[in-house]
Amino acid sequence: MNVLYQTQATATGGRTGKAFTADGAFSVTLVTPKELGGPGGDGNNPEQLFASGYAACFLGALKFVAGQRKVKVSDDSTVTATVGIGKRDDGQGFGLDVALAVALPGVDSDIARELVDQAHVVCPYSHLARNGLDVRLSLAA
C-alpha cells in the first residue's frame, strides 16, 4: 500500500491513563468506564475515540463518493457510530460491536442507499471492519 498520511500516538496507563500524538496536536485523558470495572468519570475511552474516528471517516467517504456522482451532500448530514465492547464468543478476549446510522437530508432514499453502500467500500475503517488488518508488532528498545 502506498501510505499517503501517517500519524503516531502513544498511550500510557492502559485504559486509565493518557494518550497523545507525537506532534502534540492531540492529548486525551483515558478513563475506564464503570461498566468495564473502572472508575468512570471525566475522560474518554478507546471505544469513544474509535466511534468518533469511524463516524468522521465514513462521512468523509460518503462525501467522496457523492462528489464522484455529482450528488450534493448537505452540511448537516451526519454519521453516528455506536461502538460496544464485550467478551468474544470464542472466549479468547474482547470484540467490538459497531453500528453506523447515516442521515443524508435532501438526498433521495435510493440514491442515499447507493452512496452508503459505496462509502462502506471506500472507507478504510469499514475495510478494516470487513477484512481485518495486518499489524506489525515490535518491542521498543
Side-chain angles (χ1 to χ4, degrees):
M1 179 173 74
N2 177 25
V3 176
L4 301 175
Y5 170 77
Q6 187 174 49
T7 189
Q8 187 177 63
T10 301
T12 62
R15 287 184 155 272
T16 300
K18 296 194 178 299
F20 52 90
T21 56
D23 64 5
F26 177 77
S27 179
V28 63
T29 298
L30 300 170
V31 177
T32 303
K34 288 181 181 181
E35 297 87 345
L36 296 178
D42 292 339
N44 296 99
N45 60 64
E47 292 72 37
Q48 291 170 322
L49 301 175
F50 182 74
S52 298
Y54 199 167
C57 190
F58 198 87
L59 185 53
L62 271 167
K63 289 181 174 184
F64 176 79
V65 298
Q68 288 184 320
R69 294 190 50 185
K70 303 202 184 325
V71 174
K72 171 74 171 117
V73 172
S74 169
D75 288 341
D76 56 348
S77 296
T78 61
V79 174
T80 301
T82 302
V83 175
I85 184 171
K87 291 185 178 180
R88 293 193 324 241
D89 293 338
D90 65 8
Q92 296 295 308
F94 298 88
L96 296 177
D97 178 79
V98 178
L100 299 179
V102 179
L104 295 173
V107 178
D108 173 81
S109 62
D110 290 337
I111 293 173
R113 170 51 56 195
E114 292 172 11
L115 293 175
V116 167
D117 290 346
Q118 187 59 37
H120 193 50
V121 172
V122 170
C123 177
Y125 280 65
S126 289
H127 185 265
L128 166 68
R130 278 191 317 280
N131 301 307
L133 176 69
D134 290 329
V135 177
R136 296 173 302 281
L137 302 174
S138 66
L139 290 175

